[in-house]
Amino acid sequence: MYEEIFKDYPLPEELKKEIVEELERRKVDKKTAKKIIEKCYEVYMKNLMEPGEAAGIVAAQSIGEPGTQMTMRTFHYAGVAEINVTLGLPRLIEILDVRKNPSTPMMTIRLLPEYAKDREKAREVANRIEATTVNDVADIATDLRNMRIIVTPDPKALEKKDLKFADVLKKVEKSVKEEVFEEDGKIIIQIKEPSYKKLMDTFDKVRKLVIAGIKEIKRVIIRKEGDEYVLYTEGSNLKKVMKVKGVDFTRTITNNIYEIYEVLGIEAARNAVINEALATLEEQGLEVDVRHIMLVADAMTADGELKQIGRHGVAGEKQSILARAAFEMTVNNLLEASVRGEVDKLNGITENIIVGQPIKLGTGDVELVLKLGGSK
Amino acid sequence: MKFKLQDHILVPKHELLSKEEAEELLKILGVRKEDLPKIRADDPIAKEIGAKPGDIVRIIRESKTAGRSVVYRLVI
């Protein structure tokens, strides 16, 4: 019933909802409601950021100050299963630097309803995801005299992983260039050349050969969360996991932001940056307003590609030479700019501080123009 | 199995603007096309909605502060 009043007062949706809730609880009549909403709108307008405010500086300080209190402690067994996750300052740096390979990639995989309720079914999906190497299901020995590698699959281990002897044989045959044959329940790999190095190379290759699952996923842990089973993994490969049968891809996420950018696009990457940064700060007991992190995420994603904060990204692409030189690699920047004959127009803040001029911020942003010969 | 990337929880809703809508939008915002944030034409979601360079995409985000916020990106 209050909807139409809001037409004249364009408040954000979240705020609207809150106001309506409160009004309905108190059963306010329309006339008073209008007055209340008007007052709310007034306060809202007063609290808006003014044009020309240094929002970036405020964000930098708001993240930087609590950041000094973060611990350097890298590893920590997070509440989630027994998976090691990088936390604290190292993780925050990782997020802002957009590392392509974070030190502890991890995925949270949710399952489709028909798989999520049953532990056995969840195990089935986990088997499809977890990388199983030959070493996991078989004994591997070298026979130096005959230049052979003997692989003896363990039936129990095979059954646990839901694999067959033939699967192992097929995979080995496919990836090893040497002669492969079966001999009473064993797989024999005959090295043609009498070369010790070749034997050892093949041995290593066979040991690490992935027979089932996804290479990058080293471990899968099944945990019950509420009434559904959720898989947590060590290692991450969003693209492949998404396509695995039984995985609810819409709710499957990874902590590797660059992977999200590649698979789900720039907007998803922006959300991932916000979520990860906020979670890292919150885990350390630091309260930083989302708005600051949102601003950082916006700056990182504004050009349509995920850019890091730093000399290879946002800071390195600044227009002004002096601003770049003030950040990192001063000499290199100045030298390169002079070689190219670049000109600094002194439009920004940093460069004007360097040369000692008033900056274009706050009161400095306004210029007065006097009209001569006007009315007296 | 075919699925839509747009269904993922991290992906907000993307809509392609028509020529008329785009023109009107630029008039309301009072900016040039190039002043908008960008989205690459080879972005997975841009591909999914069939956006071509020069188009404008409307993105409806679930914002933590405003509840729902609308932003625009220029396809490059």
Side-chain angles (χ1 to χ4, degrees):
Chain A
M1 67 182 270
Y2 303 111
E3 264 314 303
E4 51 190 289
I5 309 173
F6 281 106
K7 273 201 186 109
D8 304 327
Y9 305 103
L11 288 163
E13 219 127 299
E14 195 80 339
L15 217 66
K16 243 190 234 177
K17 223 167 67 195
E18 229 173 288
I19 296 170
V20 169
E21 235 166 64
E22 193 62 28
L23 290 177
E24 270 167 6
R25 205 167 59 85
R26 289 169 190 269
K27 298 196 176 60
V28 185
D29 64 80
K30 258 193 179 162
K31 221 171 144 195
T32 337
K34 195 177 155 75
K35 268 188 197 159
I36 292 171
I37 292 165
E38 196 182 295
K39 201 83 197 158
C40 286
Y41 189 67
E42 219 174 85
V43 176
Y44 167 75
M45 288 308 280
K46 264 188 203 157
N47 277 292
L48 278 184
M49 202 90 171
E50 264 163 54
E53 273 242 42
I57 301 284
V58 176
Q61 290 178 341
S62 304
I63 298 170
E65 192 275 334
T68 59
Q69 297 173 40
M70 286 181 115
T71 44
M72 282 298 292
R73 179 182 47 151
T74 319
F75 288 107
H76 178 70
Y77 289 95
V80 188
E82 304 85 48
I83 293 178
N84 231 344
V85 203
T86 314
L87 289 169
L89 197 58
R91 176 65 185 146
L92 194 64
I93 293 170
E94 227 172 62
I95 296 165
L96 298 181
D97 275 357
V98 195
R99 297 265 164 84
K100 283 184 188 161
N101 303 300
S103 61
T104 51
M106 192 198 124
M107 290 187 82
T108 308
I109 302 169
R110 282 170 214 280
L111 305 172
L112 291 171
E114 58 263 44
Y115 289 88
K117 307 277 184 255
D118 186 356
R119 194 175 186 99
E120 282 309 305
K121 288 251 183 176
R123 183 80 246 168
E124 207 180 285
V125 181
N127 276 340
R128 275 197 281 258
I129 295 169
E130 191 171 29
T132 306
T133 58
V134 173
N135 199 31
D136 289 337
V137 292
D139 261 342
I140 311 169
T142 49
D143 180 354
L144 262 182
R145 195 190 303 162
N146 301 317
M147 288 309 268
R148 282 175 165 184
I149 296 165
I150 302 158
V151 182
T152 324
D154 175 10
K156 258 192 211 149
L158 280 177
E159 202 193 301
K160 209 173 142 201
K161 294 282 181 189
D162 203 17
L163 288 165
K164 299 211 175 53
F165 178 81
D167 297 329
V168 185
L169 184 66
K170 223 159 102 195
K171 277 278 174 186
V172 173
E173 265 177 348
K174 221 175 170 181
S175 65
V176 177
K177 285 182 197 85
E178 311 292 334
E179 195 184 327
V180 179
F181 56 90
E182 191 192 334
E183 209 177 83
D184 46 291
K186 289 170 184 170
I187 300 167
I188 314 284
I189 303 160
Q190 180 74 52
I191 311 293
K192 283 171 242 159
E193 267 176 76
S195 146
Y196 180 67
K197 187 176 172 292
K198 204 147 198 189
L199 181 75
M200 286 326 279
D201 282 354
T202 318
F203 177 74
D204 279 339
K205 200 173 165 192
V206 171
R207 228 163 58 97
K208 286 185 195 136
L209 185 64
V210 177
I211 13 181
I214 295 156
K215 194 173 82 205
E216 287 84 1
I217 312 286
K218 284 166 208 97
R219 210 152 61 97
V220 178
I221 283 157
I222 305 173
R223 269 184 96 235
K224 189 155 195 180
E225 229 160 68
D227 63 342
E228 64 170 355
Y229 286 99
V230 181
L231 308 183
Y232 291 93
T233 71
E234 218 177 287
S236 159
N237 189 332
L238 187 61
K239 204 165 193 169
K240 281 191 185 153
V241 169
M242 259 166 50
K243 288 175 187 149
V244 172
K245 204 176 143 210
V247 169
D248 182 359
F249 108 91
T250 60
R251 296 184 298 145
T252 291
I253 49 172
T254 166
N255 71 355
N256 185 344
I257 294 167
Y258 198 77
E259 216 171 81
I260 292 182
Y261 165 60
E262 284 181 318
V263 179
L264 296 171
I266 193 75
E267 278 292 321
R270 179 185 172 274
N271 279 330
V273 168
I274 296 171
N275 292 344
E276 288 289 325
L278 205 63
T280 307
L281 288 163
E282 256 166 23
E283 190 275 334
Q284 297 273 308
L286 306 172
E287 258 178 61
V288 176
D289 198 287
V290 233
R291 278 159 256 249
H292 302 309
I293 296 161
M294 277 161 68
L295 183 74
V296 172
D298 276 335
M300 286 165 75
T301 58
D303 282 353
E305 54 192 304
L306 200 53
K307 275 192 308 190
Q308 61 145 280
I309 305 284
R311 66 166 173 267
H312 301 295
V314 177
E317 283 172 26
K318 281 185 183 174
Q319 280 258 293
S320 161
I321 306 145
L322 288 176
R324 260 183 284 136
F327 178 66
E328 266 173 15
M329 305 204 302
T330 312
V331 179
N332 289 11
N333 265 314
L334 291 177
L335 185 70
E336 258 166 59
S338 56
V339 168
R340 276 193 236 114
E342 282 182 55
V343 175
D344 199 322
K345 295 253 169 67
L346 300 184
N347 285 325
I349 309 300
T350 320
E351 46 281 31
N352 276 307
I353 291 175
I354 291 171
V355 298
Q357 283 184 41
I359 56 169
K360 292 205 168 185
L361 256 191
T363 48
D365 196 25
V366 201
E367 270 169 39
L368 285 179
V369 179
L370 184 64
K371 203 173 175 186
L372 290 172
S375 60
K376 280 170 197 168
Chain B
M1 189 175 62
K2 192 95 179 118
F3 44 66
K4 273 170 70 188
L5 291 174
Q6 277 217 61
D7 292 338
H8 198 278
I9 42 165
L10 284 175
V11 183
K13 197 163 186 277
H14 290 55
E15 288 171 356
L16 196 59
L17 293 193
S18 67
K19 275 244 155 57
E20 297 79 49
E21 279 178 301
E23 250 164 59
E24 204 186 310
L25 170 83
L26 292 176
K27 213 174 274 169
I28 294 170
L29 294 180
V31 293
R32 288 170 304 151
K33 250 186 188 179
E34 299 75 43
D35 297 332
L36 292 171
K38 317 286 189 300
I39 186 168
R40 290 171 67 113
D42 60 3
D43 186 276
I45 309 297
K47 267 199 229 160
E48 204 170 83
I49 60 169
K52 297 270 163 328
D55 290 343
I56 292 177
V57 177
R58 178 192 285 131
I59 294 153
I60 300 159
R61 291 177 183 160
E62 297 283 333
S63 160
K64 283 189 177 104
T65 49
R68 201 184 74 113
S69 73
V70 181
V71 292
Y72 301 90
R73 277 184 193 269
L74 172 72
V75 183
I76 51 165

